[in-house]
Amino acid sequence: MAHVWETVKRMLRGHVGIYVLSYVFQLLMCLCSVFSTFLTSVLVDSYMGQLSKAAFLEKWVAQIVAGTPDIETLYQNTNLIGFWVLGSAVALVVVSMIRMVLRARVSSLINRHMQDEMYDHLLALPFSYYKQAKPGDLIQTCTQDVDTIRKFLIMQTSQILYSLWMLVFCLVVLFQIHVVLALSTLVLMVPLFIFSFFFIKKVRKAYRAADDAEAQIVDRLNDNLSGVRVIKAFSAEQKEIALFEKDLLAYQKVSRYDRFLESFFFSFSDIFIFFSRTIAVVAAVALCFEGLISGGSVAISFTFVNMMVWPLRDAAQTMSAFGQVMAASDRIQLLLGAPLEDIEEGDKAPLKGDIVFEHVSFHYPDEPDNDVVRDVSFHVPAGSTCAIMGKTGSGKSTLYALLTRLYETTGGSILFDGVDSKTKSKRILRQDVASVLQDPFLFSRSIEDNIRIAVPEATHASVEKAARTAEIDDAILHFDQGYETPVGEKGVTLSGGQRQRVAIARALLPNAPIIVFDDSLSAVDAQTDLAIRKRLETEAKGATKIIITHRINTAKDANQILVMDDGRVIESGTHEELLARNGLYAEIARIQCDRKEDL
């Protein structure tokens, strides 16, 4: 319950006024509906000759204003009752229309507010969170679960209040007609609500299972659409179809049970409703034969019983649906309860480019006994170029994650310009350490929008300059739409080398004091690799450059080269010094030379 209440407070934050106002108009709508229905009985009794006629309107209105209306005066004149019925019907239409407009307004407001908050929260979560979370679960939580609670607040809560108001108003009228008639309608209502209360737990469990299964389907779709090139390349369509069908069958199984519970409740509650109406009708007819109520009262009792029992059935069903709300709220609070990453706190002084690793070690949170970086120490002076080489899994890319504090070191420290990185603002670190990742991600936007993502206000001339440095300008201009060419999902319309070079241009645009290339030249040929590095020497001359690579020809011109193995730096020096030591670097050089790769 605490989760549900917290979620409701989040969704209604800033919109309580309009939300309450919509229920005020719902109350007025109930009053209009009950009043117009009550006048119907007066008409029936009038035309059956059971009432005398006399002027009553002025007196009765005065009594209403005074707060002491006498119902008997209403029965003394029926000439104007038709106008009252028409007027109340018009009022009902107007009030209902206003209520619907308010409800639609508050629905869109809280939906936008909640999804904005959740999207902001998602982007503020630390990188480590996404190593464990599944995209399908996150999408399901931000869409389906939010919508479930929105519908409950706007529609089902409204139904509960409507039912309670109708219960009160109808019972007031029925008690005025006869106590026995009023009590007869309530005989089976209490058991119905007790049944609904115990039904909530089963619905909550079933809905959570169906929600998780649907999230698995979304996750499978996301993977397959993102990896469609791989699926096509390996002719894996049939296998993926079979896996998707398996997920669908699992969802069908759990959702079928969820639908069964819902159908069972509706069918079972209809039995309560049928017998409640039957008891009320029998009681009304019996009272009429005994002469205790009039024919008009019998007619109105039928109407008021229907007006009361069906909304109550829906309210009871809403109580069972509350189990869905509890399950959805659990998932939402699980996401919103995840600790955020504070990227603002810390020293905001710009970086100059001097980097020192002092006995740095690191292990992932779920593997505390397995250091992927072990006692690493080195110094990269500002404006110099450092190349890092090593076997796959040696810890090269982890150094970049530590450099930008995507992960925190578990031992030692990293210094920028003599200041510990843990005292620096993460926003400053990530602004001043531009990166080109090993697997560059491009958004489904134009090439220019992808390049200027870090600097949205950059001019077109600046974008072109960065593209020329990345050796991608000529290729872009050959496209029909030039820089406005859309790149498709994850850059699927571009080749691997073109994606890499667009990503390089994106990293060069901010003119950051530190640039990290995480094996980002691997998808381009040796000639383009050399051309890019030459341009970097002139266009980014003052920047500190860290090049993580497996190519000797990419690393050999660096001011210093670090060779890593099993999380440690086992060699460091210039190209010539490392060749002379005849260690791992020299071994890699010989292998690449045998493959006729240019040193």
Side-chain angles (χ1 to χ4, degrees):
M1 284 295 296
H3 281 179
V4 176
W5 176 237
E6 182 62 30
T7 304
V8 168
K9 286 196 298 182
R10 285 178 178 272
M11 296 188 78
L12 291 179
R13 189 177 299 153
H15 311 301
V16 175
I18 190 172
Y19 185 70
V20 172
L21 186 60
S22 69
Y23 287 110
V24 171
F25 277 90
Q26 185 185 51
L27 175 61
L28 293 175
M29 186 182 73
C30 291
L31 287 171
C32 291
S33 179
V34 171
F35 181 68
S36 62
T37 305
F38 173 74
L39 290 177
T40 303
S41 71
V42 179
L43 285 174
V44 172
D45 286 345
S46 172
Y47 288 116
M48 291 180 66
Q50 297 178 8
L51 296 177
S52 61
K53 297 181 180 180
F56 76 100
L57 184 58
E58 293 183 3
K59 179 182 178 181
W60 199 60
V61 170
Q63 289 175 340
I64 291 177
V65 173
T68 58
D70 182 5
I71 300 299
E72 290 301 322
T73 61
L74 181 64
Y75 288 104
Q76 294 173 2
N77 192 310
T78 59
N79 293 331
L80 298 178
I81 290 180
F83 293 101
W84 279 87
V85 172
L86 179 62
S88 62
V90 172
L92 177 62
V93 170
V94 173
V95 170
S96 179
M97 185 181 300
I98 295 174
R99 169 181 168 266
M100 293 296 291
V101 170
L102 290 173
R103 193 169 76 167
R105 174 66 175 165
V106 73
S107 176
S108 63
L109 285 174
I110 65 176
N111 191 64
R112 186 192 68 188
H113 168 79
M114 192 61 181
Q115 291 190 331
D116 279 348
E117 180 178 350
M118 295 190 72
Y119 185 71
D120 292 346
H121 188 89
L122 279 174
L123 294 186
L125 289 170
F127 177 73
S128 57
Y129 178 86
Y130 294 96
K131 299 290 284 185
Q132 301 174 353
K134 293 182 178 180
D137 286 335
L138 299 180
I139 294 172
Q140 187 77 357
T141 300
C142 294
T143 54
Q144 182 68 28
D145 292 336
V146 169
D147 197 54
T148 296
I149 299 180
R150 180 193 64 81
K151 287 179 179 178
F152 181 81
L153 287 175
I154 299 303
M155 301 177 66
Q156 293 168 321
T157 302
S158 174
Q159 182 61 47
I160 291 175
L161 291 177
Y162 178 80
S163 300
L164 291 176
W165 285 329
M166 290 302 295
L167 174 66
V168 172
F169 297 149
C170 292
L171 283 178
V172 167
V173 175
L174 292 174
F175 269 110
Q176 285 188 348
I177 295 174
H178 204 281
V179 175
V180 173
L181 180 60
L183 293 177
S184 67
T185 62
L186 298 177
V187 171
L188 297 180
M189 289 298 104
V190 174
L192 175 60
F193 274 87
I194 294 174
F195 171 72
S196 302
F197 179 79
F198 286 103
F199 206 68
I200 289 177
K201 186 175 182 180
K202 284 185 174 293
V203 173
R204 178 183 186 181
K205 184 178 180 180
Y207 179 80
R208 180 62 185 267
D211 211 24
D212 289 342
E214 189 174 5
Q216 176 62 31
I217 292 175
V218 174
D219 205 38
R220 178 80 63 185
L221 278 171
N222 180 66
D223 283 347
N224 288 349
L225 292 175
S226 300
V228 66
R229 181 178 292 185
V230 176
I231 294 173
K232 293 291 184 182
F234 288 93
S235 298
E237 292 92 343
Q238 294 304 316
K239 179 183 177 182
E240 292 303 321
I241 290 173
L243 290 174
F244 187 69
E245 288 179 348
K246 183 179 179 181
D247 291 338
L248 286 176
L249 288 173
Y251 172 69
Q252 182 185 31
K253 181 179 179 180
V254 293
S255 64
R256 183 185 297 163
Y257 179 64
D258 184 36
R259 296 293 182 269
F260 167 76
L261 290 177
E262 185 176 342
S263 301
F264 174 79
F265 178 84
F266 267 107
S267 302
F268 199 76
S269 61
D270 281 348
I271 297 175
F272 285 94
I273 298 302
F274 174 78
F275 282 107
S276 293
R277 293 175 63 194
T278 302
I279 292 172
V281 169
V282 170
V285 173
L287 291 171
C288 183
F289 275 113
E290 293 291 329
L292 299 176
I293 62 175
S294 66
S297 298
V298 173
I300 197 175
S301 67
F302 294 159
T303 304
F304 274 104
V305 168
N306 278 322
M307 289 174 63
M308 184 173 65
V309 296
W310 288 110
L312 281 177
R313 196 282 297 268
D314 292 337
Q317 190 273 335
T318 299
M319 288 181 61
S320 70
F322 187 68
Q324 297 181 359
V325 173
M326 295 176 71
S329 180
D330 288 343
R331 289 167 60 97
I332 289 175
Q333 289 303 318
L334 185 64
L335 172 59
L336 294 178
L340 300 179
E341 180 182 38
D342 187 353
I343 64 173
E344 301 295 344
E345 183 181 2
D347 180 14
K348 294 180 172 60
L351 305 182
K352 297 178 181 178
D354 189 80
I355 304 170
V356 176
F357 275 62
E358 289 185 343
H359 305 289
V360 172
S361 298
F362 172 74
H363 60 74
Y364 290 101
D366 55 343
E367 297 181 354
D369 298 326
N370 181 25
D371 283 349
V372 293
V373 173
R374 308 165 188 268
D375 195 28
V376 170
S377 299
F378 61 88
H379 176 214
V380 183
S384 66
T385 299
C386 175
I388 302 177
M389 297 191 66
K391 300 176 181 178
T392 300
S394 60
K396 305 186 299 298
S397 296
T398 303
L399 295 183
Y400 160 73
L402 298 175
L403 198 66
T404 53
R405 292 184 67 189
L406 293 176
Y407 290 107
E408 300 289 2
T409 60
T410 54
S413 58
I414 302 174
L415 308 179
F416 288 97
D417 310 319
V419 178
D420 193 325
S421 65
K422 291 184 179 179
T423 67
K424 301 287 291 184
S425 162
K426 290 183 179 180
R427 182 181 294 279
I428 293 299
L429 285 180
R430 293 167 191 176
Q431 285 178 351
D432 287 357
V433 181
S435 57
V436 188
L437 302 181
Q438 185 175 3
D439 184 19
F441 182 93
L442 299 184
F443 294 91
S444 299
R445 305 169 190 172
S446 69
I447 293 175
E448 182 162 352
D449 286 341
N450 271 282
I451 293 176
R452 61 157 44 123
I453 193 167
V455 191
E457 69 280 5
T459 63
H460 181 71
S462 300
V463 172
E464 286 185 324
K465 179 181 178 182
R468 282 194 297 270
T469 304
E471 292 288 323
I472 190 63
D473 181 61
D474 289 341
I476 294 174
L477 294 177
H478 277 88
F479 295 133
D480 291 339
Q481 295 177 296
Y483 281 85
E484 295 301 318
T485 301
V487 301
E489 183 73 20
K490 294 187 178 181
V492 69
T493 59
L494 303 180
S495 68
Q498 288 171 338
R499 287 199 301 272
Q500 288 274 21
R501 284 177 283 166
V502 169
I504 291 172
R506 179 170 61 192
L508 295 176
L509 187 62
N511 294 317
I514 300 172
I515 307 174
V516 179
F517 299 87
D518 185 3
D519 207 15
S520 52
L521 298 174
S522 59
V524 300
D525 58 82
Q527 185 177 356
T528 303
D529 179 357
L530 179 61
I532 291 173
R533 286 187 286 113
K534 285 184 176 180
R535 282 185 177 272
L536 286 173
E537 289 303 318
T538 56
E539 300 293 344
K541 185 176 182 180
T544 302
K545 292 173 281 295
I546 296 178
I547 302 175
I548 299 172
T549 182
H550 66 275
R551 282 180 172 177
I552 294 293
N553 66 331
T554 301
K556 66 178 183 178
D557 294 327
N559 299 108
Q560 67 170 316
I561 302 170
L562 306 177
V563 182
M564 295 191 67
D565 188 32
D566 195 24
R568 292 186 174 90
V569 175
I570 59 173
E571 294 179 335
S572 65
T574 63
H575 175 69
E576 290 75 14
E577 291 171 346
L578 293 176
L579 286 178
R581 290 177 189 171
N582 200 29
L584 179 59
Y585 182 85
E587 180 183 346
I588 295 173
R590 284 193 294 271
I591 293 172
Q592 294 188 8
C593 182
D594 291 340
R595 293 176 179 172
K596 302 187 183 300
E597 292 198 23
D598 181 19
L599 295 179

